[in-house]
Amino acid sequence: MRRTRGKPLVIGVLVVGTVMAVAGLYWFQPWKLWVDETVRDELPVAAPSTAGPDGSSAPTAPPAPRTLASGTLISHEHSTSGTAKIIQLPDGSRTLRLQGLDTSSGPDLRVWLTDAPVRAGRDGWHVFDDGRHISLGKLKGNKGDQNYALPAGLDLKGLTSVSIWCDRFDVSFGAAALTAPA
């Protein structure tokens, strides 16, 4: 006589284990740790004017963009480096520019402007969603130079930091305190 009582239990455990493994892979997306995406956005510039200041038709150089605030990215959950700048373009629009960004890729990474202080070490990993934060969208890539348009009319008062934020795990990969140029 053959015993078959244990067979359904083994099959059930295998099915549940497989479902949990697939769900874990989807949730953590570990392959992203080995995949780099480099972005090379150019800094937006205004087109040259077709009329000179004296009314002549000689084109003139557009005014240069102006840096309103900048800071150096520090590492939090993952090694992160580069700079963050808020730049006002000649047309009055503003852009957050990440330059020389180098961080890990991850699931659901966002670029946030926040009112949180930037703290080194584990103390800084979870502070950015405690107060005011503005999501500028998904991180375009984990390396390179990137531009993120700031919403028109956004009041920058009190927004003193940038975070590369993992929305899935509520943790900062890296952040920069923003200060106005001297």
Side-chain angles (χ1 to χ4, degrees), residues 135-156:
S135 178
L136 301 179
K138 289 187 177 232
L139 186 70
K140 296 175 184 180
N142 64 311
K143 296 188 180 300
D145 304 324
Q146 305 169 31
N147 300 319
Y148 297 87
L150 286 125
L154 174 65
D155 183 5
L156 293 175

Side-chain angles (χ1 to χ4, degrees), residues 86 111-119 124 126-135 154-163 165 175-178:
I86 295 179
V111 178
W112 281 9
L113 275 176
T114 79
D115 65 354
V118 175
R119 298 181 186 139
H126 302 283
V127 300
F128 298 99
D129 61 347
D130 293 344
R132 182 175 170 220
H133 57 275
I134 309 298
S135 178
L154 174 65
D155 183 5
L156 293 175
K157 185 179 273 184
L159 295 174
T160 58
S161 61
V162 172
S163 174
W165 184 257
L178 297 172

Side-chain angles (χ1 to χ4, degrees), residues 31-143:
W31 57 88
K32 288 195 172 186
L33 292 174
W34 296 281
V35 175
D36 290 330
E37 186 168 348
T38 301
V39 174
R40 297 277 182 224
D41 285 348
E42 294 293 325
L43 181 62
V45 293
S49 173
T50 56
D54 59 357
S56 67
S57 61
T60 60
R66 187 169 61 110
T67 300
L68 302 178
S70 64
T72 301
L73 289 160
I74 66 166
S75 300
H76 280 146
E77 170 70 18
H78 291 265
S79 179
T80 302
S81 62
T83 58
K85 294 180 180 183
I86 295 179
I87 298 171
Q88 183 166 349
L89 302 172
D91 66 2
S93 65
R94 296 168 299 174
T95 296
L96 174 74
R97 180 158 175 86
L98 300 178
Q99 287 184 277
L101 175 66
D102 188 355
T103 191
S104 298
S105 189
D108 208 15
L109 293 181
R110 307 288 172 153
V111 178
W112 281 9
L113 275 176
T114 79
D115 65 354
V118 175
R119 298 181 186 139
R122 289 184 70 95
D123 290 343
W125 288 16
H126 302 283
V127 300
F128 298 99
D129 61 347
D130 293 344
R132 182 175 170 220
H133 57 275
I134 309 298
S135 178
L136 301 179
K138 289 187 177 232
L139 186 70
K140 296 175 184 180
N142 64 311
K143 296 188 180 300

